[in-house]
């Protein structure tokens, strides 16, 4: 190693937190293999030192930072124990020589660039309403979950691999308070105490047989040495939130739910991992469906070992029912979401699946099978076993998210609204090539006939509805406009009641955020009380990549242009993330 590299690594050992670039859009990366690094180290807000070294190989430069930067909080260095030093050295060897990030989809220089770069925690901070005013019916908190790695990835890193961070804006009497906190999962806590990553990334840590064997052996050695206990969970809780059984949960598919609480001052606290009195094992979906009339939560879990799918529910008192294993799902599939009606639960067996055999040929255990025919599975939602489970082949229908479903014709017909991914082979590696077309699917349970048609030609995903209409016929959908994914340029309102014989595009309202501005999943908050289905507001975080500033937008859901009702300037940028939830004040005080 040359002298400049040694100086760089020595400096980083004294400033480990600076690796994160927590409060600006720079990303710091060093690759011994490529012998390339570009780094900015900030010891104090007023002092900035830049170190650069010419590239020896032709590789794209990391993205330029946005104009505005914020101070980086100091953190006392943690001296690693001798076993940790050895394990970390072996981990660096694996990430440098055995499995470096060869593809841009798992290269942290690209994955964590611009507003995907991580941020540090922010305590409750008052916000400025720069346009309009916050409606009184919005008293409560909008919380959005998303990946935010605590430490700089040493090797390959996928967007789905970051620690969960909740970004909450609490609204009370027209004033807003913003707060960002990590979900304090078991994984987060042990790595925070150790001062370095311990548990490998799920989506990017196992690429090929050699890399998987090396990382698997290292993980086993860490567990044997007492660095962590896998029985306590290895997940991230970085995907979504749900309120059911009188508790608020941060969710991720790789672990059990983590109960969280929003304090009166707007701060966020993790109360702990929740297993429903020992009745929930390993994991559950990040997309449970809450029936607004019964307050029941319907959910499932899936995995690489039989049964590949297990269905269950949680009653209004938070009591979990026994699992219903679905053995008619004969292969492990990627089941991120599902839908419910008043009578049924609906699952989608898509072309994305888990195949550990791929490791033998140097591939990833998660991939696509173009020869597989997607299916839709229907089971009575109060089923005690899978005897009444029915599967329907639906060629070319690959959904990751479901929007809603309902019964028609006295329960003889099921209608499903969902975005169908037309280029499913790009889902995990080239999100910019994904196009999702929202479709209406009808299943005649008497004849077995499945009919479907697209209801919009736009590239739409992250569709949401008025929560009061979950499981019953709805008219309006609010979806993120991708151009391309993961860049969300605006929000579209769809009227799915447009006559099928018309077959015209169902978009009836639209708002584009503006040049250089990108958002995420919208969320619909009904007025309290509300009259019509769309009588309410659409809310979302939006980031301006030109100025480096983020804002919270409140839009009138009934207006043809989704007019802005309130624009709240946030005290710090909010990285792009996944799914959110609005919780009213009367529910917050019960947590």
């Amino acid at each position: 190693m040359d002298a400049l590299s040694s100086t760089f690594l020595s400096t980083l050992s004294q400033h480990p937190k600076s690796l994160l670039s927590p409060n600006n859009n720079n990303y710091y990366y060093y690759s011994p293999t490529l012998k390339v690094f570009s780094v900015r180290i900030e010891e104090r807000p007023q002092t900035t030192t830049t170190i650069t070294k010419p590239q020896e190989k032709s590789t794209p430069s990391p993205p330029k930072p946005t104009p505005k930067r914020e101070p980086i909080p100091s953190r006392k260095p943690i001296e690693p124990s001798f076993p940790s030093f050895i394990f970390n050295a072996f981990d660096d060897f694996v990430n440098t020589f055995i499995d470096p990030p060869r593809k841009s989809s798992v290269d942290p220089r690209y994955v964590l660039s611009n507003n995907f770069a991580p941020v540090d925690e922010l305590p409750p901070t008052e916000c400025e309403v720069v346009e309009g005013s916050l409606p009184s019916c919005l008293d409560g908190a909008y919380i959005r979950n998303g990946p935010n790695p605590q430490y700089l990835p040493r090797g390959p890193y996928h967007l789905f691999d970051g620690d969960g961070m909740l970004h909450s804006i609490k609204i009370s009497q027209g004033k807003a308070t913003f707060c960002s906190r990590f979900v304090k999962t078991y994984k987060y806590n042990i790595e925070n105490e150790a001062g370095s990553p311990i548990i490998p990334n799920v989506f990017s840590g196992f690429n090929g047989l050699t890399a998987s064997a090396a990382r698997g052996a290292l993980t086993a050695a860490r567990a044997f040495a007492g660095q962590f206990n896998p029985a306590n969970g290895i997940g991230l809780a970085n995907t979504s939130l749900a309120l059911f059984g009188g508790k608020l949960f941060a969710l991720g598919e790789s672990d059990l739910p983590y109960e969280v609480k929003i304090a009166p001052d707007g701060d966020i606290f993790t109360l702990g991992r929740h297993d429903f009195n020992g009745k929930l094992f390993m994991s559950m979906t990040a997309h449970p469906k809450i029936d607004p009339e019964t307050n029941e939560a319907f959910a499932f879990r899936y995995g690489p070992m039989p049964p590949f799918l297990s269905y269950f529910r949680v009653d209004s008192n938070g009591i979990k029912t026994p699992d219903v294993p679905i053995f008619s799902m004969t292969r492990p599939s990627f089941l991120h979401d599902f839908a419910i009606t008043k009578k049924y639960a609906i699952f989608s067996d898509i072309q994305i699946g888990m195949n550990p055999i791929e490791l033998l040929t140097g591939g990833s255990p998660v991939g696509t099978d173009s020869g597989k025919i997607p299916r839709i599975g229907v089971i009575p939602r109060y089923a005690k076993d899978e005897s009444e489970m029915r599967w329907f082949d639906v060629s070319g229908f690959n959904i990751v998210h479901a929007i809603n479903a309902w019964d028609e014709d006295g329960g003889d017909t099921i209608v499903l609204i969902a975005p169908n991914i037309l280029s499913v082979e790009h889902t995990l590696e080239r999100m910019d090539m994904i196009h999702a077309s929202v479709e209406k699917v009808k299943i005649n349970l008497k004849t077995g006939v499945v009919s479907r048609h697209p209801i919009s030609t736009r590239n739409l995903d992250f569709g949401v509805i008025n929560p009061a209409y979950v499981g019953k016929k709805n008219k309006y959908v609010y979806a993120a406009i991708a151009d391309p994914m993961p860049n969300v340029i605006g929000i579209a309102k769809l009227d799915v009641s447009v006559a099928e014989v018309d077959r015209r595009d169902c978009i009836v309202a639209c708002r584009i955020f503006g040049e250089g501005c990108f958002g995420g999943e919208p969320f619909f908050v009904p007025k309290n009380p509300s009259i019509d289905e769309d009588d309410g507001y659409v809310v979302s975080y939006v980031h301006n990549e030109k100025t480096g500033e983020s804002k919270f937008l409140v839009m009138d859901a009934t207006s043809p242009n989704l007019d802005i009702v309130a624009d709240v300037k946030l005290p710090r940028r909010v990285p792009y993330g996944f799914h959110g939830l609005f919780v009213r004040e009367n529910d917050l005080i019960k947590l």
Side-chain angles (χ1 to χ4, degrees), residues 174-320:
K175 296 182 179 181
T177 302
F178 181 78
C179 179
S180 296
R181 296 290 189 191
F182 281 105
V183 183
K184 304 303 193 299
T185 61
Y186 174 71
K187 177 183 185 295
Y188 172 87
N189 286 332
I190 61 169
E191 293 183 342
N192 186 265
E193 293 172 3
S196 62
I198 292 176
I199 299 174
N201 294 330
V202 174
F203 279 89
S204 60
F206 301 93
N207 298 297
L209 183 60
T210 303
S212 298
R215 289 199 176 94
L218 175 59
T219 304
R222 289 186 186 274
F224 183 77
Q227 283 200 320
F228 77 102
N229 182 356
N232 293 330
I234 60 172
L236 302 162
N238 68 359
T239 307
S240 67
L241 298 110
L243 177 68
F244 60 92
K247 299 181 186 298
L248 177 62
F249 296 107
L251 302 170
E253 295 170 1
S254 56
D255 208 335
L256 300 182
Y258 275 83
E259 185 181 355
V260 297
K261 177 181 177 67
I262 309 297
D265 67 351
D267 211 345
I268 308 168
F269 297 95
T270 303
L271 302 182
R273 196 167 177 249
H274 194 76
D275 64 1
F276 298 92
N277 293 320
K279 295 181 179 180
L280 182 60
F281 306 100
M282 296 177 64
S283 64
M284 68 171 277
T285 176
H287 289 289
K289 301 304 176 187
I290 318 301
D291 187 305
E293 297 175 1
T294 67
N295 292 321
E296 297 168 290
F298 297 84
F300 66 93
R301 72 167 180 271
Y302 69 97
M305 303 295 291
F308 302 118
L309 170 64
S310 294
Y311 169 60
F312 60 90
R313 65 184 173 91
V314 178
D315 69 20
S316 58
N317 297 315
I319 307 299
K320 179 188 173 295

Side-chain angles (χ1 to χ4, degrees), residues 187-452:
K187 177 183 185 295
Y188 172 87
N189 286 332
I190 61 169
E191 293 183 342
N192 186 265
E193 293 172 3
S196 62
I198 292 176
I199 299 174
N201 294 330
V202 174
F203 279 89
S204 60
F206 301 93
N207 298 297
L209 183 60
T210 303
S212 298
R215 289 199 176 94
L218 175 59
T219 304
R222 289 186 186 274
F224 183 77
Q227 283 200 320
F228 77 102
N229 182 356
N232 293 330
I234 60 172
L236 302 162
N238 68 359
T239 307
S240 67
L241 298 110
L243 177 68
F244 60 92
K247 299 181 186 298
L248 177 62
F249 296 107
L251 302 170
E253 295 170 1
S254 56
D255 208 335
L256 300 182
Y258 275 83
E259 185 181 355
V260 297
K261 177 181 177 67
I262 309 297
D265 67 351
D267 211 345
I268 308 168
F269 297 95
T270 303
L271 302 182
R273 196 167 177 249
H274 194 76
D275 64 1
F276 298 92
N277 293 320
K279 295 181 179 180
L280 182 60
F281 306 100
M282 296 177 64
S283 64
M284 68 171 277
T285 176
H287 289 289
K289 301 304 176 187
I290 318 301
D291 187 305
E293 297 175 1
T294 67
N295 292 321
E296 297 168 290
F298 297 84
F300 66 93
R301 72 167 180 271
Y302 69 97
M305 303 295 291
F308 302 118
L309 170 64
S310 294
Y311 169 60
F312 60 90
R313 65 184 173 91
V314 178
D315 69 20
S316 58
N317 297 315
I319 307 299
K320 179 188 173 295
T321 63
D323 286 353
V324 177
I326 310 297
F327 290 102
S328 54
M329 177 168 280
T330 56
R331 297 169 57 185
S333 183
F334 183 69
L335 278 161
H336 181 65
D337 200 356
F338 78 131
I340 62 168
T341 70
K342 290 300 179 183
K343 291 188 174 183
Y344 300 100
I346 304 161
F347 297 92
S348 184
D349 183 11
I350 65 176
Q351 291 176 317
I352 303 176
M354 292 170 282
N355 186 9
I357 303 300
E358 287 291 322
L359 290 174
L360 299 177
T361 59
S364 170
V366 179
T368 58
D369 180 359
S370 59
K372 179 180 177 180
I373 298 178
R375 305 184 297 167
I376 292 178
V378 178
I379 188 172
R381 76 177 197 173
Y382 293 109
K384 297 185 183 302
D385 57 52
E386 70 162 330
S387 59
E388 296 183 71
M389 184 83 178
R390 296 179 62 186
W391 291 97
F392 302 86
D393 289 348
V394 189
S395 181
F397 189 64
N398 290 286
I399 69 170
V400 173
H401 294 119
I403 297 175
N404 197 28
W406 61 83
D407 304 308
E408 290 185 350
D409 304 325
D412 291 336
T413 300
I414 290 174
V415 178
L416 171 67
I417 307 293
N420 178 28
I421 300 176
L422 304 181
S423 44
V424 68
E425 67 274 12
H426 302 305
T427 304
L428 296 176
E429 293 191 4
R430 289 294 304 275
M431 284 189 285
D432 59 310
M433 297 183 69
I434 293 175
H435 187 99
S437 174
V438 178
E439 295 191 17
K440 177 184 283 189
V441 181
K442 285 192 173 184
I443 304 173
N444 188 313
L445 298 178
K446 279 192 170 182
T447 64
V449 173
V450 179
S451 60
R452 47 192 274 236

